[in-house]
Structure formats: structure tokens, C-alpha cells
Amino acid sequence: GSQRVVPGLSDSSPRPRMARTLLLILACTSLAGRRAPRLRRAATLVATGCAASAATAQPATGGALVRGDDSLMAPKAHGTTSTPVQERLRWDVDRATADRICSYNRHYAEYAGYYKRTTFIAAFSAAEGETTFYDSVSGKPLFVAPRGRTHDAFLAESSAHGWPSFRDEECVWDNLRILDDGEAVSVDGTHLGHNLPDSKGNRYCINLVSVAGTPVDEAAAGVTRSEL
């Protein structure tokens, strides 16, 4: 393109080369200043994308069953949990039912096939890859499915038993415990369901209302992952 000539500073100018260098630096600084807002916006988008990727990374699962003792379900400020279930739960589950089963119950469950009356099956089937199931009270991850099998296999087994059914390799043991009587609970005192082993091994028969939570960071921001 055309060359910009700075008045009084042509190549034939008697001024020292250092002066020309200084003016060039000042011109570049001015250009960078004009572009700074766009650069800051780009950096923000990159940072946001990285944070989102970190937030959506699937937690580690699998390994041997982890036992817990009954003290996990000791009375707290809200039944067996410190707080009620989240305000925004996924898959259009009923919040009142979720709160009753999660925090004020040790033995009963949502009725068989309840999950089929929610948006769960459509959302789960449409999801690419695995779906993470979060504690409806704390928002901590509890299960990741399907892992080690197909979506159809997960849904077929769940349909056969009437409740979402998970296997060992789909369990997030950092946040999940099995009591001596087979009750499945979260480390925060949320009742989840029961372990009902069969010929294939442990099978965790879980209430959908107990694992319809939103991740902690998104719950704080008032976001619901309705598409998952």
C-alpha cells in the first residue's frame, strides 16, 4: 500500500534514526490502543470458553463400590440435607416431589415409570455423548451415563425396572455412598435410591427427581441445563 510520510521525518531528514524509531513505537501504541477493546473482548470470550469447557468436563467414574455409614443421613436443617432441592431442576421434574424424596425420605420412591412422564427420555436420547446427573440438592455430579454401553441399552434396562438404573462404571464415587442396607445416598445426605444387584453386578435404581440437579456454578448463575 501507500507509504505514510511523517512530516519533517523523511529518509533524508537529518534527525537521528532513534527519533524515527520513537515515532514508530508511538504510532504502534496508538494503534494497539484503538484495538484494545476488541482484544479485551476476544480474551474474555476465550476465557469464558475455557471456563465452560472445564465446567462441562465429565467427572471421573468407576471403581469399587464405596460404603458410607448412617451418619450421612443424620437430621440437618432441612430433613437429611442442609438445604432444600434447587429451585431449577432439569427435565421438568416436580420440585415438591423431589424435595420430599431427597430430604424427607429413606425408603420410598417416585412411582415406577415416573421418569417417562418427564422430558428426560427425549433429552437423553438427543444428547451427544454422555449425560452427567447432578444431586438435586447440592448440584454435585453423581452419575455419568451411558458409560460402557449405548443410550439404548441404558434406557432399556431403566425401562425394565421402572427407574433410571446405573452401573458401577457410571458412578461418581467422590460424591456417592451406599449404606449397609443398600440405600444409595449422596455425601450431603440426599436420598437417591437403592442398590439392587442382579446377575450383572451392582445396579443402582435411582429416583430421577434426586439426580435432576444443575451443576453448582450454573445453579449460582440461575442457569438450567434443560437441554441435557
Side-chain angles (χ1 to χ4, degrees), residues 93 168 226:
V93 303
D168 283 334
S226 58

Side-chain angles (χ1 to χ4, degrees), residues 11-142:
D11 287 338
S12 60
S13 172
R15 297 185 184 184
R17 182 176 299 176
M18 183 179 295
R20 293 198 299 273
T21 303
L22 178 58
L23 285 177
L24 180 60
I25 292 173
L26 290 173
C28 291
T29 302
S30 176
L31 178 61
R34 291 196 298 272
R35 291 180 177 175
R38 281 184 292 173
L39 293 174
R40 282 195 294 269
R41 285 195 296 272
T44 299
L45 288 173
V46 171
T48 301
C50 291
S53 296
T56 57
Q58 301 290 30
T61 62
L65 179 155
V66 178
R67 298 248 175 227
D69 60 62
D70 210 57
S71 64
L72 289 169
M73 304 301 283
K76 304 179 184 68
H78 189 79
T80 59
T81 60
S82 297
T83 61
V85 296
Q86 296 174 342
E87 289 291 336
R88 296 178 175 86
L89 298 176
R90 293 189 290 173
W91 306 307
D92 292 333
V93 303
D94 182 73
R95 186 173 183 269
T97 300
D99 196 59
R100 184 172 64 254
I101 289 177
C102 290
S103 303
Y104 292 96
N105 164 64
R106 300 292 303 278
H107 306 289
Y108 299 102
E110 64 196 22
Y111 61 80
Y114 171 82
Y115 74 96
K116 296 181 180 180
R117 291 178 171 267
T118 69
T119 62
F120 171 72
I121 292 180
F124 181 80
S125 299
E128 294 183 5
E130 302 166 333
T131 294
T132 301
F133 297 76
Y134 299 89
D135 189 331
S136 291
V137 175
S138 71
K140 294 178 182 178
L142 297 171

